[in-house]
Amino acid sequence: MDDLLGDFVAETRETLEALSGEIVAWELAPDDRSRLDAIFRFVHTVKGSCGFLDLPRLEKLSHAAEDVLADVRADRRRPDSGLVSAVLAVIDRIAELTDAIEDGRFIADADDARLIQALQPGTAPAPAIIPAPSTLDDDVAELAQALDAIQAANDGADDENEVVVVADVAAPQVDRPVTSAPATPRVVSRTIRLPVDLLDRMMAGVSDMVLARNELARRLRESGTESNTEVAFERLSQCIAEMRDSITRTRMARVEHLFTALPRMVRDISAELGKIVQLEIDGGDVELDREMIEMIRDPLTHIVRNAIDHGIELPEVRVLAGKSMAGRLHVSARQVGNQILIEVIDDGRGIDADRLVQKAIASGILGQERAATLSWERKLELIFEPGLSTAQQVTAISGRGVGMDVVRANVERIGGLVDVESRPGQGLRLTLRVPLTLTIIPALTISAGGQHFAIPRSAIDEIVRVGGDAVRMATLGGADIVFIRGTRVPVVSLNKVLGLSETSAQANLVVLKLSGGARYALAVEAVHDHEELVVKPAAPVVMACGIYGGTTLPDNSRPMLLLDVAGVAEKAGVRHDEKGAAETVVEDNDVDQDEKGTVPVLLFRDLDGIERGVPLALVERIEDCFSTSVSTTAGRMRLNIDGRLVPLVSCGAPIIEPKIRVLRMRDGGEELAYAIDIVIDIVPVAIELQRSTVPGPVSGVMLVEDRPVEFIDAFWLFAQGLGIEPAPAQRPICLLSDEDPWTRQVLAPLVESAGYKIIYSQDTGVAADLVIIADGTASEPTEAGAVLRLRQNAEERGGSPNSLWRYDRIGLTAELRRHWNKRSA
């Protein structure tokens, strides 16, 4: 309410300033209809606002003036000087009360009735609140007359002690309001209104100052200036940073302005559908760019409508499902880094991904073969396919097949993302991830034809390099294509689109995603770095090309153009075919690779400098994070990312760099992150490992392209990261003979890696689930459970019937697993 009251004061004062000339002109020409209409609109607006804000005095005054002005507009009353003076007195009182609201002063209402009464016909005009200033000659004459009267009275006085009251002579007061309250100095308003264009120009100027500061810093470093200059420069840098932050905050507004229309909309839609919905709103004090608020208003409205129509069930259906009659709809906003997360959560029926797939197949969006290979997350993403709707019938609210694809397109247009999580029968969570402001965006800098360009990071799916079997170039119908791990993607040469000469081979491919889900690979000469860029509109002739989204000036002071990924695709003739995006085209050679048993493997250099690999199917994405987002809590390392705490696992080497790169891995349900140094390549590998005998993050080693590469043990990673390793009390116990050093040094690590707890023959008082002894041992331990004998020779000749060769790893591992399962049963 304080914000609304402040807006009312600012708007009223602004209108009064604009009307000051109109009011004076109307006093000189009361028959001027245009000025009369302007004054009438002002008092009408004030009356309506006062009724909402509970300001009865202002409402009463403005209502009285509105009635009189309405009579004048309807020709029921002729304006005269008395009426004009009375209206002006009311407007002056409105201005005075407006100032008092801002200053926190109290003004007595004794004169309000007199001002209202002066508006009635036949009433003497009310005195103006602010009288006209007197001239200097009038003041001197009035003072001289007063002095003469005092002198005459004193000459005629009989008693020197007699007090003679001559007259009430007031000292001249210029421009001083006469009110019933003590005069109080007016507090100057601290609120002004500025056009957004002016703020944009200010932000552009400050951005140029930042770039000039960076260039100055570089030159100071090169020249080796003295410390006094460095101190002054640091002060300048701090002032520029504070100025930039202040101007950025002037563009911000609270998200509650986005949420104000939701309660009424939820009430109307739920009443129309016969549902009971309880709306919960949280995070209204989060601030977001004003322009961004307007851009996500429509997507948020559509998501809320879908939640009520598709998600929340009818009361009787909810009762049968064991839920409360009233559905719960929770809308919240929170800031995570330089992003704002807006979540819409309902406890309705959720999205049945399998039913969604059936709809997609029936609509021709998806093929049967491809549908069988989709993961749960990819099935849910089908909700964003155009023309696909889960509504049973077309209504005024939904079912027309136009919706979530437009929502995602609008959000991605402003550099945001839409995530969906569904639990059938329990509810749905839709998350909008949008940047704080449109003026500063994260981008990837690339080069082509000797020139640098920027690409919005939100449009980048992955970055690959041509070479090897995982990424192969080909030609289809005269057009360049690339097969990336079996998926065919069209290739667009940035040099050809821009008409630039090739200075080097375009071996780097930046795979970009369009709003409908389609992808294409942009061939560039070099990929440089990620930067936070201040984007400004380019010249009109440049923007008219349709392939640029703006211009920016990075720290090196070289102008750079931001590419519009959709415009580049349209310029290159890439078909924006969403149906094709849902299909995966597999090259014949890839089928042969599958038949040969090769799988794509991600090669990387670990934090300890060792080259390691992991099957690419386990890696969901690769991300750069600040080391400050890593914390050790509840006994393990965790990574704060996307507003969640994800378990973090590493090879054990310390994290010392300010930034780390992590592999975000998922086993189908749970997620963890693995910290690495750099990514090397993606290659197809027929995995034939020499297994590790020590439990840990490495499962084994093999040669890849004539280099030794250690492979990550995914089972160990998820067991350690998610804390699901069996408790020591639950692990089976294996008794080993301590007669041979081979038992402790070679056999024991393998048995422990299989999950067993090791004890030796000298341990007493513990019952063993499995006993492993050398073949030929005369007697067996009395406390033994199952017994496994290991012989020295590979041949069975001369050994016990059920014995194993002690280096038969496959057989020994199978026996350990069989005894484990037998114990569990």
Side-chain angles (χ1 to χ4, degrees):
M1 182 61 74
D2 291 340
D3 293 340
L4 295 177
L5 199 58
D7 292 341
F8 166 75
V9 171
E11 291 177 5
T12 302
R13 181 174 292 137
E14 181 180 348
T15 308
L16 280 170
E17 293 174 356
L19 281 178
S20 59
E22 301 290 336
I23 296 173
V24 174
W26 186 57
E27 184 179 15
L28 299 175
D31 293 331
D32 192 332
R33 183 60 181 261
S34 62
R35 292 185 172 93
L36 172 63
D37 290 341
I39 299 172
F40 176 81
R41 285 193 297 270
F42 167 69
V43 295
H44 177 73
T45 302
V46 171
K47 185 196 73 170
S49 300
C50 293
F52 176 75
L53 296 173
D54 191 22
L55 301 173
R57 287 187 62 186
L58 279 173
E59 182 181 11
K60 188 176 180 180
L61 288 167
S62 57
H63 185 60
E66 181 189 28
D67 290 342
V68 173
L69 294 175
D71 291 341
V72 175
R73 297 177 72 203
D75 295 328
R76 292 191 294 267
R77 185 173 176 180
R78 291 288 300 170
D80 52 25
S81 60
L83 174 63
V84 172
S85 298
V87 172
L88 291 177
V90 171
I91 292 178
D92 289 341
R93 177 53 58 90
I94 290 175
E96 186 183 9
L97 291 175
T98 302
D99 293 339
I101 290 174
E102 185 179 41
D103 303 343
R105 293 184 289 115
F106 172 75
I107 298 178
D109 58 356
D111 293 338
D112 291 354
R114 180 175 56 84
L115 294 174
I116 295 174
Q117 181 63 30
L119 295 170
Q120 304 305 318
T123 306
I129 296 299
I130 303 178
S134 60
T135 63
L136 181 60
D137 293 339
D138 294 338
D139 295 339
V140 173
E142 185 178 1
L143 182 59
Q145 293 175 3
L147 291 175
D148 292 341
I150 294 173
Q151 183 63 37
N154 290 336
D155 292 342
D158 296 333
D159 188 352
E160 62 180 358
N161 295 327
E162 181 180 359
V163 178
V164 179
V165 179
V166 178
D168 293 333
V169 181
Q173 296 182 3
V174 181
D175 291 330
R176 194 166 152 192
V178 179
T179 66
S180 57
T184 304
R186 174 185 169 185
V187 178
V188 180
S189 174
R190 303 286 294 175
T191 302
I192 61 173
R193 288 173 171 248
L194 294 176
V196 177
D197 293 340
L198 177 59
L199 294 178
D200 292 340
R201 291 197 298 271
M202 293 171 62
M203 173 61 77
V206 173
S207 300
D208 293 339
M209 292 172 60
V210 172
L211 298 175
R213 178 205 62 186
N214 296 340
E215 184 176 1
L216 178 60
R218 184 165 53 253
R219 295 190 178 185
L220 289 176
R221 288 194 301 268
E222 294 173 355
S223 62
T225 57
E226 57 185 12
S227 59
N228 293 335
T229 306
E230 294 180 358
V231 172
F233 177 75
E234 289 297 330
R235 175 59 180 164
L236 174 64
S237 299
Q238 182 180 359
C239 293
I240 293 177
E242 292 176 355
M243 184 184 303
R244 180 177 178 178
D245 181 65
S246 299
I247 295 177
T248 301
R249 291 186 64 83
T250 59
R251 295 178 54 94
M252 311 298 280
R254 298 174 67 172
V255 181
E256 65 181 6
H257 296 294
L258 182 65
F259 294 161
T260 51
L262 295 182
R264 173 66 183 273
M265 182 180 65
V266 171
R267 175 189 176 277
D268 293 345
I269 296 177
S270 59
E272 179 181 350
L273 298 175
K275 298 180 179 180
I276 305 175
V277 180
Q278 292 181 350
L279 176 64
E280 301 174 2
I281 296 179
D282 188 22
D285 56 345
V286 175
E287 291 187 336
L288 184 62
D289 193 299
R290 295 176 185 270
E291 190 175 358
M292 191 76 70
I293 288 178
E294 296 304 321
M295 290 185 174
I296 63 178
R297 190 181 300 275
D298 289 343
L300 178 63
T301 299
H302 191 94
I303 291 174
V304 172
R305 291 166 64 94
N306 271 5
I308 302 173
D309 187 24
H310 291 286
I312 297 178
E313 309 93 336
L314 292 169
E316 55 271 19
V317 177
R318 292 181 60 85
V319 172
L320 292 176
K323 302 180 181 179
S324 62
M325 294 182 62
R328 176 177 171 267
L329 181 62
H330 184 80
V331 182
S332 64
R334 70 178 189 274
Q335 180 176 347
V336 179
N338 61 349
Q339 283 188 328
I340 296 294
L341 270 59
I342 300 178
E343 293 183 335
V344 181
I345 307 172
D346 67 76
D347 64 346
R349 61 172 58 92
I351 296 178
D352 189 344
D354 295 330
R355 181 166 167 262
L356 201 60
V357 170
Q358 296 174 4
K359 282 265 188 178
I361 295 174
S363 303
I365 297 175
L366 195 64
Q368 290 279 3
E369 296 180 358
R370 176 57 181 159
T373 63
L374 292 181
S375 63
W376 178 262
E377 290 78 10
R378 186 63 187 91
K379 290 178 180 178
L380 287 178
E381 289 181 1
L382 291 174
I383 195 67
F384 299 111
E385 293 292 334
L388 186 63
S389 175
T390 57
Q392 299 292 338
Q393 58 184 358
V394 177
T395 66
I397 299 177
S398 60
R400 298 177 298 276
V402 179
M404 294 305 297
D405 60 317
V406 179
V407 167
R408 184 171 69 173
N410 290 340
V411 173
E412 291 181 349
R413 188 177 298 116
I414 58 178
L417 295 172
V418 183
D419 296 334
V420 56
E421 299 178 24
S422 175
R423 293 186 177 182
Q426 299 182 26
L428 180 74
R429 179 199 301 265
L430 272 166
T431 305
L432 304 182
R433 303 175 184 271
V434 296
L436 273 174
T437 176
L438 289 175
T439 58
I440 303 176
I441 66 169
L444 175 72
T445 56
I446 53 96
S447 59
Q451 300 185 25
H452 285 68
F453 301 91
I455 302 174
R457 197 185 307 173
S458 60
I460 299 175
D461 192 25
E462 62 178 323
I463 303 172
V464 297
R465 184 175 178 86
V466 178
D469 295 329
V471 182
R472 295 191 306 279
M473 296 290 294
T475 302
L476 180 64
D480 292 332
I481 60 173
V482 62
F483 288 90
I484 303 176
R485 298 184 300 278
T487 302
R488 187 179 68 194
V489 180
V491 177
V492 175
S493 171
L494 186 57
N495 285 344
K496 293 180 180 178
V497 172
L498 302 180
L500 303 175
S501 59
E502 295 189 9
T503 58
S504 61
Q506 294 180 313
N508 300 285
L509 300 179
V510 181
V511 182
L512 304 173
K513 53 187 177 182
L514 301 173
S515 59
R519 301 193 306 164
Y520 73 93
L522 186 67
V524 299
E525 294 176 358
V527 176
H528 298 290
D529 200 0
H530 294 278
E531 294 187 37
E532 301 286 334
L533 300 178
V534 179
V535 180
K536 298 181 291 185
V541 65
V542 176
M543 299 297 290
C545 299
I547 59 176
Y548 300 112
T551 182
T552 183
L553 200 66
D555 291 346
N556 59 10
S557 300
R558 297 178 58 184
M560 183 188 304
L561 289 170
L562 178 73
L563 296 176
D564 182 353
V565 296
V568 172
E570 184 176 357
K571 185 77 172 180
V574 176
R575 292 180 57 192
H576 196 264
D577 187 358
E578 292 85 2
K579 293 184 180 180
E583 300 287 344
T584 300
V585 181
V586 181
E587 195 180 16
D588 293 339
N589 293 337
D590 294 327
V591 178
D592 296 338
Q593 288 182 7
D594 293 338
E595 292 176 355
K596 294 178 182 178
T598 60
V599 295
V601 172
L602 176 69
L603 302 180
F604 60 90
R605 188 171 67 214
D606 217 328
L607 295 178
D608 55 4
I610 299 177
E611 184 176 353
R612 293 190 171 98
V614 62
L616 188 61
L618 290 173
V619 181
E620 190 175 55
R621 68 181 72 173
I622 305 172
E623 291 193 11
D624 292 331
C625 304
F626 289 101
S627 57
T628 54
S629 61
V630 178
S631 61
T632 301
T633 56
R636 67 179 67 246
M637 286 199 302
R638 305 180 193 272
L639 177 66
N640 184 0
I641 188 169
D642 294 340
R644 298 183 296 116
L645 287 177
V646 177
L648 179 66
V649 184
S650 70
C651 63
I655 299 175
I656 58 176
E657 297 295 332
K659 271 190 174 182
I660 60 171
R661 183 159 294 177
V662 297
L663 307 179
R664 296 184 65 173
M665 307 171 67
R666 188 180 291 274
D667 62 355
E670 303 296 337
E671 180 184 9
L672 61 80
Y674 186 85
I676 66 170
D677 184 10
I678 61 172
V679 174
I680 298 177
D681 200 357
I682 299 175
V683 295
V685 176
I687 301 178
E688 296 178 358
L689 299 179
Q690 296 183 19
R691 299 288 177 178
S692 171
T693 59
V694 179
V698 177
S699 61
V701 64
M702 66 174 291
L703 289 177
V704 178
E705 298 178 351
D706 297 328
R707 303 190 311 273
V709 175
E710 294 182 350
F711 276 69
I712 295 297
D713 188 339
F715 185 90
W716 185 91
L717 277 185
F718 281 96
Q720 291 290 322
L722 302 176
I724 57 176
E725 187 178 12
Q730 300 175 349
R731 297 169 60 184
I733 297 175
C734 179
L735 173 63
L736 300 181
S737 172
D738 197 25
E739 299 173 355
D740 187 357
W742 178 86
T743 303
R744 283 186 178 271
Q745 299 173 7
V746 180
L747 179 61
L750 178 64
V751 178
E752 285 183 335
S753 67
Y756 285 79
K757 178 182 177 182
I758 302 298
I759 62 174
Y760 296 95
S761 57
Q762 65 262 31
D763 297 330
T764 58
V766 179
D769 299 287
L770 175 66
V771 177
I772 301 179
I773 59 177
D775 190 25
T777 302
S779 61
E780 299 178 1
T782 56
E783 68 274 15
V787 177
L788 177 60
R789 295 179 178 272
L790 301 181
R791 62 177 182 269
Q792 293 280 349
N793 301 320
E795 296 82 6
E796 295 183 1
R797 184 176 52 193
S800 301
N802 296 325
S803 63
L804 289 176
W805 179 41
R806 65 176 183 172
Y807 285 117
D808 183 0
R809 184 187 185 98
I810 296 177
L812 182 56
T813 303
E815 283 295 314
L816 292 173
R817 186 180 302 112
R818 184 177 67 85
H819 286 291
W820 178 299
N821 295 335
K822 183 178 179 181
R823 172 184 179 271
S824 301

